[in-house]
Amino acid sequence: MSPSKVAPFCFDTFYNVVDGKTRTAKTAHRGINPMTLEELWPVPVATQQDVDDAVAAGMRAFPAWRDTPIEKRKELLGKFAELFSAYADDFLSLLCQETGKPRPFAAMETNGVQKLIQAHQDFELPVEKIEDDEKVITTTYTPLGVVGAICPWNFPITLSMGKVVPALLTGNVVIVKPSPFTPYTALKYIELAQQIFPRGVVQALGGDDRLGPMFTAHPDIAKISFTGSIATGKKVMEASAKTLKRVTLELGGNDACIVFPDVDVAKVAPEVAMGAFFNSGQVCVATKRIYIHEKIYKDFVAAMVEFAKKLKVGASDEEGVMLGPVQNAMQYERVKGFFADSKEKNHTFAHGEPDVAGSKGYFIQPTIIDNPPHDSRIIQEEPFGPIVPTQPWSDLDEIIQRANNTKAGLGASVWAKDVAQAEACAKRLEAGNVFVNSYVKPNPKAFFSGHKESGIGGEYGTKGLLSYCNAHVMHSYKL
Ligand code: NAD
């Protein structure tokens, strides 16, 4: 039976959560609804004292949580999934307001919580044994302690939960720091989680950009699991080095997509476009460079344009909306910079240049830039918005080299009727997550990581669980 809602639990007051209790702060900041540019609710700005208190509470909670059998930890995670589901509609509305996502797409995120937790409940921590006549060597995996989860704004529930669930399952305690742009859903679900988990096991601190460095500097945080930009990831690693913290860095990408000439253009072009425009391009593994074989280039771009024209851009609750706004002012200005650069360099806008300055709300029409030069900003950098370049190719070795010619290596996709040919090409791409005949769709059952500057370590799958653990190797000799 699902747990029912426990009253009162309101969705319009927001707190930090420390040692099982909600707490306010002297100062507050507010997120902005990106559809209306109206201010949302106040959120407390955590201080160094809040960080110290949360870490101390985490350290107190850690031994008992570490010693709780994994089956019990899984059971509590399952109970939390049910409790979250009881409030799924409230979380969905909140998520729409803080991100502007179209409601059906935001629902994928809230519905994904149960799936994420179920996938993790199926994992087992490995036990490895080497045995001979004189000894047994047993390797087990033990938790690290207090984990700091530093999160971005593009999937506020999925990406924070993707740290909380494996951290708790492996016996760590965790403090979540949501992005200041989207603090609401994470603060709320962690407040809700206090009904399930012992105090100090899962906590949350919201704040401004001073808060992340307080996490990375804290000597008693054992690991930082970070998702965000490459530039901030480097700062996190540098700061964490001072206390030799473990770090997992899930960073940006510049994903290439290679389309072979044998594809069914009408079927594949819309899929490839969705890979670029899903969540208005604000996806680390969004397709960011599309390489189409020259034999079908013209028809393929035309089919993408036809599809893109039909993608309705608008507010969460509008009927038939496929793309919401860009989430925040900083990102909106950044994406506009890519439009301005392409305009200035006289790149070809495949279906006219949209007005990106005129709307109330951070809305941008999906845009395709037709064959800009290799060294253009739109090819070289990650826009993280609904604008994508296409280029033709003819020589496979050359296009693989071009696809790999980036410091990022997060995702990639290859599309071909001849799957063996596509797989052979996919194997040569320098990226952590390569998809054949699909755009990149992370799956919590499989390890997710970036090559090169797209990250260090990774999340999801059993391998992801182990990133929250120390290896403990016991060599036991017979007397
Ligand atoms: P960001 O790097 O600006 O911020 C991420 C988080 O880091 C925020 O919570 C922020 O407050 C915090 N932060 C800022 N400065 C810090 C510091 N010095 N020390 C510690 N923490 C600090 O990233 P963003 O704009 O929120 O997210 C967009 C970026 O994230 C894109 O580049 C995208 O590709 C990447 N991303 C990667 C993945 C992945 O899994 N690889 C997933 C989503 C997003």
Side-chain angles (χ1 to χ4, degrees):
M1 197 176 67
S2 347
S4 52
K5 297 186 180 189
V6 181
F9 194 77
C10 56
F11 277 78
D12 55 10
T13 44
F14 296 88
Y15 306 100
N16 288 326
V17 182
V18 177
D19 201 14
K21 298 195 190 73
T22 54
R23 86 161 51 173
T24 53
K26 277 203 185 112
T27 51
H29 78 106
R30 289 168 181 266
I32 303 283
N33 178 327
M35 301 174 283
T36 60
L37 308 194
E38 281 161 10
E39 282 195 330
L40 294 168
W41 309 270
V43 191
V45 175
T47 60
Q48 183 67 55
Q49 188 61 54
D50 294 318
V51 176
D52 292 345
D53 291 349
V55 175
M59 302 262 290
R60 284 195 298 277
F62 175 58
W65 183 246
R66 174 196 60 202
D67 297 340
T68 300
I70 190 166
E71 288 314 322
K72 179 72 185 171
R73 296 199 295 257
K74 285 184 181 177
E75 185 192 316
L76 292 181
L77 281 165
K79 284 197 169 140
F80 172 65
E82 287 176 19
L83 183 60
F84 182 93
S85 295
Y87 290 93
D89 285 345
D90 302 281
F91 279 107
L92 178 55
S93 295
L94 200 55
L95 184 63
C96 287
Q97 292 191 70
E98 70 178 344
T99 62
K101 285 171 200 260
R103 209 171 173 81
F105 293 101
M108 288 179 177
E109 200 168 339
T110 48
N111 295 337
V113 169
Q114 195 112 24
K115 289 181 199 142
L116 180 82
I117 291 177
Q118 270 166 8
H120 279 79
Q121 283 173 315
D122 290 341
F123 296 146
E124 298 298 337
L125 282 172
V127 177
E128 294 141 17
K129 273 192 196 300
I130 300 168
E131 204 165 353
D132 61 25
D133 290 345
E134 57 169 1
K135 63 185 177 300
V136 183
I137 305 173
T138 311
T139 303
T140 53
Y141 293 90
T142 58
L144 302 166
V146 181
V147 171
I150 302 182
C151 309
W153 45 261
N154 56 338
F155 292 90
I157 297 179
T158 308
L159 295 178
S160 59
M161 202 80 87
K163 302 177 186 307
V164 168
V165 174
L168 295 186
L169 191 141
T170 46
N172 295 278
V173 298
V174 61
I175 308 170
V176 175
K177 190 203 97 55
S179 166
F181 292 117
T182 53
Y184 298 102
T185 43
L187 290 183
K188 254 318 149 198
Y189 82 68
I190 287 167
E191 186 186 331
L192 190 65
Q194 303 312 303
Q195 295 174 18
I196 304 283
F197 297 101
R199 58 197 274 188
V201 165
V202 52
Q203 308 179 85
L205 295 174
D208 55 26
D209 273 348
R210 286 170 294 182
L211 187 56
M214 293 179 204
F215 275 50
T216 52
H218 203 292
D220 293 327
I221 292 185
K223 168 177 172 130
I224 297 288
S225 178
F226 172 84
T227 301
S229 62
I230 292 175
T232 312
K234 288 178 182 176
K235 289 186 197 160
V236 167
M237 190 155 180
E238 191 179 353
S240 299
K242 296 207 174 78
T243 47
L244 287 183
K245 285 183 192 3
R246 277 69 181 145
V247 290
T248 297
L249 303 178
E250 295 281 13
L251 309 177
N254 193 3
D255 296 15
C257 160
I258 297 178
V259 183
F260 278 74
D262 65 347
V263 298
D264 175 344
V265 171
K267 192 172 155 204
V268 172
E271 284 290 308
V272 167
M274 267 321 273
F277 297 134
F278 181 74
N279 206 40
S280 296
Q282 302 165 109
V283 184
C284 54
V285 285
T287 298
K288 294 183 182 123
R289 295 171 290 151
I290 303 174
Y291 299 117
I292 304 156
H293 194 274
E294 62 178 10
K295 275 193 194 149
I296 56 165
Y297 182 80
K298 235 168 138 243
D299 291 347
F300 200 92
V301 173
M304 279 178 64
V305 166
E306 272 321 296
F307 179 76
K309 277 187 191 161
K310 286 191 218 127
L311 289 173
K312 186 172 169 192
V313 178
S316 295
D317 286 327
E318 275 176 48
E319 189 63 33
V321 161
M322 292 294 282
L323 305 184
V326 170
Q327 196 279 325
N328 59 70
M330 186 198 68
Q331 189 57 30
Y332 185 57
E333 290 308 319
R334 184 174 153 75
V335 178
K336 280 191 337 190
F338 282 87
F339 279 84
D341 186 70
S342 282
K343 193 179 169 191
E344 192 188 308
K345 309 268 164 56
N346 289 320
H347 298 161
T348 305
F349 286 73
H351 55 108
E353 187 196 336
D355 174 15
V356 286
S359 63
K360 187 170 187 240
Y362 302 132
F363 295 104
I364 298 182
Q365 297 295 326
T367 300
I368 297 162
I369 305 291
D370 182 356
N371 200 13
H374 298 324
D375 61 354
S376 56
R377 193 168 163 219
I378 190 66
I379 299 269
Q380 297 295 323
E381 290 181 35
E382 176 192 43
F384 220 56
I387 174 168
V388 71
T390 54
Q391 285 186 318
W393 66 273
S394 55
D395 179 278
L396 185 60
D397 289 338
E398 190 271 337
I399 196 57
I400 289 173
Q401 194 262 332
R402 240 196 289 165
N404 288 337
N405 185 20
T406 163
K407 285 199 169 145
L410 191 58
S413 58
V414 182
W415 302 76
K417 205 170 262 166
D418 181 343
V419 175
Q421 189 182 35
E423 287 181 351
C425 172
K427 278 189 187 151
R428 296 172 63 192
L429 295 176
E430 296 164 357
N433 312 282
V434 186
F435 278 61
V436 169
N437 293 329
S438 163
Y439 58 88
V440 181
K441 297 172 182 162
N443 180 329
K445 294 184 178 170
F447 191 54
F448 181 86
S449 70
H451 293 190
K452 301 189 260 185
E453 290 197 355
S454 286
I456 300 270
E459 292 179 324
Y460 291 169
T462 314
K463 204 169 155 54
L465 275 194
L466 297 185
S467 73
Y468 288 91
C469 298
N470 281 314
H472 180 278
V473 185
M474 188 168 64
H475 300 248
S476 182
Y477 283 79
K478 294 167 187 161
L479 285 179

